[in-house]
């Protein structure tokens, strides 16, 4: 079994792009399926308001972003735009290069959790 998430990476030319990656899940017995542990540095709870738009920027660090409520539209340097909503998980690794654009969707605030990686 796998848990599919979206990664935002950066190519050799500094352009960000989307790719789907699978995180393997193994039998944890009575408690369900589990991934391997990821070493993490911190957790950040975030709310952005309904008018939040952020022009080209890089991720400040490698991090998972877990969408709790609301949504965000992200445009990568490749030109592709995707919308992520409640329950989606991103692995953001474009800490250099041209970055990406983030926009609020549906005129709603967004709650998310940032889990920063070591």
């Amino acid at each position: 079994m796998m848990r599919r998430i979206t990664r935002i990476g950066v190519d050799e030319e500094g352009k960000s792009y989307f790719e789907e990656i699978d995180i393997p899940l193994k039998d944890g017995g009575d408690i369900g399926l589990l991934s391997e542990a990821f070493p993490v540095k911190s957790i950040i709870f975030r709310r952005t308001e309904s008018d939040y738009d952020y022009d080209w920027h890089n991720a400040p660090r490698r991090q998972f972003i877990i969408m709790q409520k609301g949504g965000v539209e992200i445009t990568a340097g490749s030109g592709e735009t995707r919308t992520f909503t409640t329950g989606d998980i991103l692995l953001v690794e474009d800490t250099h290069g041209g970055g990406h654009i983030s926009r609020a969707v549906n005129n709603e605030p967004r709650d998310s959790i940032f889990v920063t990686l070591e």
Side-chain angles (χ1 to χ4, degrees):
M1 177 72 74
M2 301 281 183
R3 172 60 157 110
R4 180 158 281 195
I5 67 170
T6 302
R7 175 178 176 263
I8 301 177
V10 62
D11 66 18
E12 303 81 28
E13 297 175 1
K15 288 186 180 180
S16 60
Y17 62 89
F18 297 108
E19 80 174 313
E20 302 305 310
I21 61 173
D22 290 322
I23 297 175
L25 301 175
K26 297 179 182 175
D27 186 359
D30 292 341
I31 62 171
L33 301 173
L34 303 172
S35 73
E36 294 293 324
F38 286 84
V40 299
K41 185 174 182 181
S42 63
I43 185 168
I44 301 165
F45 296 88
R46 181 179 186 192
R47 163 155 290 196
T48 52
E49 295 305 323
S50 59
D51 61 351
Y52 177 81
D53 290 332
Y54 196 18
D55 207 2
W56 292 104
H57 65 283
N58 294 103
R61 65 195 65 80
R62 290 181 63 237
Q63 58 194 0
F64 285 105
I65 301 175
I66 304 163
M67 305 299 297
Q68 286 190 290
K69 182 180 176 187
V72 63
E73 179 184 88
I74 298 177
T75 301
S78 65
E80 183 179 2
T81 298
R82 293 190 188 183
T83 300
F84 301 93
T85 60
T86 303
D88 288 334
I89 301 173
L90 304 169
L91 173 57
V92 184
E93 297 186 307
D94 64 333
T95 59
H96 63 281
H100 59 274
I101 297 172
S102 302
R103 292 184 195 90
V105 295
N106 300 326
N107 199 31
E108 296 176 347
R110 173 175 42 111
D111 292 335
S112 51
I113 298 173
F114 290 53
V115 180
T116 65
L117 301 172
E118 292 188 358

